[in-house]
């Protein structure tokens, strides 16, 4: 039964990487054409925090990654 947690860890990391890639794509698409609205800096900060949190989780060893 050792393979199930290992597969789950990889599936979790794959999902996190996909979410991070989607967030980066959305940020790049929104950046050039985005008007200067007061909401955008806060949204950009929250997106950055989410990306940092995802990167931190991915940087942990596999046996610590399962939450």
């Amino acid at each position: 039964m050792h393979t199930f947690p290992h597969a789950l860890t990889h599936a979790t990391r794959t999902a996190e990487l996909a979410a991070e890639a989607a967030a980066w794509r959305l940020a790049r698409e929104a950046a050039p054409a985005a008007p200067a609205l007061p909401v955008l800096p806060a949204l950009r900060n929250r997106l950055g925090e989410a990306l940092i949190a995802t990167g931190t989780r991915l940087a942990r060893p596999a046996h610590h990654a399962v939450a």
Side-chain angles (χ1 to χ4, degrees):
M1 288 308 207
H2 178 70
T3 57
F4 180 74
H6 186 69
L8 182 61
T9 298
H10 283 287
T12 302
R13 287 186 174 196
T14 300
E16 289 174 342
L17 286 171
E20 184 178 3
W24 274 110
R25 187 179 65 247
L26 288 173
R28 276 195 312 267
E29 289 173 358
L37 297 176
V39 175
L40 292 180
L43 180 61
R44 186 174 47 242
N45 288 342
R46 291 192 65 182
L47 176 61
E49 290 170 3
L51 291 173
I52 289 169
T54 300
T56 302
R57 280 194 305 271
L58 292 172
R60 288 190 215 151
H63 62 279
H64 290 289
V66 177

